[in-house]
Every structure is written in structure tokens, then in C-alpha cells.
Amino acid sequence: MSQILQSDGEGTDPAVTVIIVAYNAGRFLQPCVDALARQDFTRFDAVIVDNSSSDEAVETLRLPDARFRIDRAGENLGFAAGNNRVAMAAGTPWIATLNPDTEPDPDWLSALMGATVRWDGVAGFGSTQVKLDDPDILDGVGDVWHAAGLGWRALEGRPVTDAPGEGESFAVCAAGALYATEAFQAIGGFDERFFCYCEDLDLAYRLRSRGWSLVQVPDAILRHAGSGTTGRHSTFTVFHGHRNRIWTFVKNTPGWLFWLMLPAHIAVNLRMLLRTPTPDYRRDLIAAYKAAWTGLGPVWQDRRIEQRQRTTPTGVLARMMAWRPRLITERGVVIGRDGKRRKMGARRVV
């Protein structure tokens, strides 16, 4: 593992490439771009990837200055491939992913860049997300991965006063995250097969498997609508979220831990199916399970590759996961107290 550039240093060259993937982002896109333009950290370029939108949000977009440009993909690539389109060719030491339904505070990017100086060997930094329509309520403080194959945004719906201090999170939410370009490109970026949802959890799992860490930054505040462009319980969200969650578990869970937790994973999925809130939700969930199963062959092949390339011991990975069932219903958080992988057992669980 080579040394990541930690600070932005001196000079005027861009240090960050900010990527906004837009598909029918509607009323959210312009405020997002305007908020990014107001950042007190100015050494960035911004690329708005238009995934062939049909709502004219990109066509009517006012670009604030020369740092901003539009990249027309010509088709709907999805969130994963849309980000990769720019990130895999980026020449800046850092890339930032930013959802179009977000509005970052003016010091959002400077807070993330400041954290790169304080932490060593970290490949990604996450934002403290608050509700766009109620900034006193958290939308998430990093992503948690439960060993049974469940993921969630930590502390979603809780008061902002419950937010933990700075420390390691299993994953950082790509709605507003800063990644070391070197690390992102080295592992091939987001898995484009995922299209949308859980691609950040999968990326984090692969980064951790190769020895990198990820850190949650409390002062990097991001206002987030949360599935503002796709719908919280839409067919699209339910299908991609649950299919990709299963693929993340199969693809990345290492060695003995996979076989140990497979019965629990199956039980969790069956319980979800039996407790679906509506017939439409059940229909979408069944479709997701079928797609996960029929697409399992390539995922299993990727699993073999990932396990060959893994350098982090299974026990170390396991210590950054959630284990207690209660954390699932509480959308609890697992935060490590420092960024040294040898000490990941020292953590705070809320």
C-alpha cells in the first residue's frame, strides 16, 4: 500500500474533483451546484454528469464559474458508472462524490480536506448528513454494515445532538464523500453492475479488505433530501437496494465469516419477506431476491478475486461490523476511536 497524499499543500491547482451524477434531479440540482460554488475551499473542479435526463434540470442549469462543467453521458449509466466515468480519469489527488439532492454547508469541503491532514492511511472521509427540510435531525453519520448482510445510514432520524465524534466508520456514504483518487482507482472504483445503491458499502468493503480505513468527519455538514430523486420506497429503490445488499454480502464477506453468517443472512431475508409493509413492497422485494439469485454467478466469480486480493485478516474486518441485532432496529452506529487498523477493537457503539 503506497502513501496517500494527506494534505492539499500549497498552490493553486485543483486538489479535488467533485462529481455530481444527475438524472432527472429536478428542483434539487441548481441549489446543490450553488451551494458547492459557495465553498470556502475553492481548489476544486466540478463535473455534473448528465445521465440523459429528460426533465430539463441540466438544460436550464446555471454554472457558477469556470470550475464547473457538464459531462453528457448520452444514456443513464446509473450512479456507479456515472461517477466512475469521471473518477477513473481524474488527475486530482482527491475526488468527492456529491448527490444532486444535497446542499453542503460552506465549510463542508474544507472540513473534509482538513481531516486528510489528521489521519494517515485513510482512503475515504464521510459527511455528517442532516435532513434537508429539518437540519436538527440526522440523515446519517456514516454507513454501518451488519455481519448478517444488512447496511444502513447510522442514526438516521435521530437528533443531531446524538452525532458521534470523529472516528472510523465501516463505510462512508457516497451522497457526500471524499475519496483518495489513488485508492479509488486502484480497486476499480464503484462496481458498475450495482447501478445505484450499496455501491459505497461494496467499495468500502473492498478498500478495507486491502488495508485502507474510512473516517467519519462530524464537522463536514451536508443537507440531504434522502432518495429525493428516486423515492424512498419506490420500486427502483427497493429493487436495487436489496439486490445489491445481497451481492455485497456474497462478494465481500471473507472466509469462515461468510459460512458462519450465511444462515443468519438467509434468515434475515426471509424475515424481511414475511414482514413487508405492503403488497407492492413484497412484489419488489421478491423481484430483488430473484435478480440477486440469477446474477449470483458473476458475483461469486468476483468473490474469488476479492478473497485472493484481500490483505486484511477476517477478524479485523469483523471488528468494524455491527453484530448486535438491536442496532438494526435502532439504526445504531459503530465508530472506532482512532484510525489505526491494529486498534479497531477500541470503538464506541451508540
Side-chain angles (χ1 to χ4, degrees):
M1 179 174 60
S2 56
Q3 182 69 32
I4 287 180
L5 178 66
Q6 289 183 282
S7 68
D8 58 296
E10 301 295 333
T12 58
D13 292 338
V16 187
T17 299
V18 182
I19 309 166
I20 302 173
V21 176
Y23 177 70
N24 292 342
R27 62 184 177 86
F28 295 108
L29 184 58
Q30 188 69 60
C32 174
V33 170
D34 291 343
L36 182 60
R38 293 192 291 268
Q39 295 298 300
D40 55 20
F41 182 92
T42 60
R43 291 180 49 209
F44 67 86
D45 288 329
V47 182
I48 298 93
V49 179
D50 176 23
N51 269 348
S52 195
S53 300
S54 59
D55 66 350
E56 298 188 354
V58 176
E59 298 296 332
T60 59
L61 183 65
R62 301 181 304 277
L63 298 182
D65 53 61
R67 295 173 297 174
F68 294 77
R69 68 179 177 88
I70 296 172
D71 177 23
R72 301 188 185 276
E75 59 180 312
N76 187 4
L77 300 176
F79 181 85
N83 275 290
N84 284 355
R85 178 181 172 92
V86 176
M88 296 305 288
T92 53
W94 299 93
I95 58 171
T97 56
L98 187 64
N99 274 17
D101 59 355
T102 63
E103 294 180 23
D105 278 7
D107 58 352
W108 168 73
L109 196 50
S110 62
L112 290 173
M113 290 300 294
T116 70
V117 181
R118 296 190 295 274
W119 295 82
D120 184 21
V122 175
F125 296 87
S127 308
T128 296
Q129 297 173 196
V130 299
K131 299 290 185 182
L132 183 64
D133 57 355
D134 189 351
D136 292 327
I137 301 298
L138 290 169
D139 185 67
V141 285
D143 286 350
V144 178
W145 182 252
H146 194 281
L150 290 170
W152 62 86
R153 289 202 303 272
L155 301 187
E156 182 183 6
R158 301 266 285 272
V160 293
T161 51
D162 287 353
E166 188 168 284
E168 281 202 73
S169 175
F170 184 89
V172 293
C173 179
L178 183 73
Y179 295 103
T181 306
E182 173 192 339
F184 188 94
Q185 293 177 348
I187 65 167
F190 292 125
D191 187 334
E192 297 182 6
R193 179 174 45 219
F194 282 38
F195 194 81
C196 188
Y197 293 112
C198 293
E199 69 290 308
D200 45 7
L201 279 163
D202 170 74
L203 179 79
Y205 219 142
R206 288 184 284 129
L207 285 168
R208 286 195 168 280
S209 293
R210 289 163 175 78
W212 301 109
S213 297
L214 298 107
V215 164
Q216 185 66 21
V217 183
D219 294 334
I221 307 297
L222 185 73
R223 300 166 191 265
H224 185 212
S227 299
T229 60
T230 59
R232 182 63 182 265
H233 297 296
S234 67
T235 293
F236 179 90
T237 302
V238 173
F239 175 83
H240 287 85
H242 287 281
R243 182 198 64 177
N244 296 348
R245 175 181 56 77
I246 294 171
W247 282 354
T248 299
F249 174 82
V250 172
K251 177 181 173 182
N252 297 294
T253 307
W256 58 263
L257 186 60
F258 174 79
W259 299 109
L260 175 68
M261 297 307 299
L262 183 58
H265 181 67
I266 294 172
V268 163
N269 283 289
L270 286 175
R271 187 176 187 273
M272 285 184 175
L273 187 60
L274 293 173
R275 295 172 64 90
T276 49
T278 65
D280 287 346
Y281 197 105
R282 176 172 295 184
R283 177 203 63 204
D284 297 337
L285 190 60
I286 291 172
Y289 288 175
K290 287 181 177 178
W293 176 257
T294 57
L296 206 57
V299 174
W300 191 264
Q301 292 298 321
D302 283 353
R303 170 182 172 78
R304 292 175 176 173
I305 295 171
E306 290 303 316
Q307 297 312 305
R308 285 197 300 268
Q309 295 180 344
R310 178 169 59 91
T311 60
T312 305
T314 300
V316 174
L317 287 170
R319 285 198 294 273
M320 279 306 295
M321 299 177 190
W323 285 86
R324 288 188 291 164
R326 185 169 61 86
L327 288 177
I328 299 172
T329 56
E330 294 178 354
R331 304 189 75 83
V333 62
V334 178
I335 295 288
R337 291 198 178 102
D338 61 58
K340 298 178 180 178
R341 289 177 298 281
R342 293 185 301 276
K343 297 182 180 179
M344 283 205 294
R347 57 178 179 167
R348 178 169 61 251
V349 179
V350 179

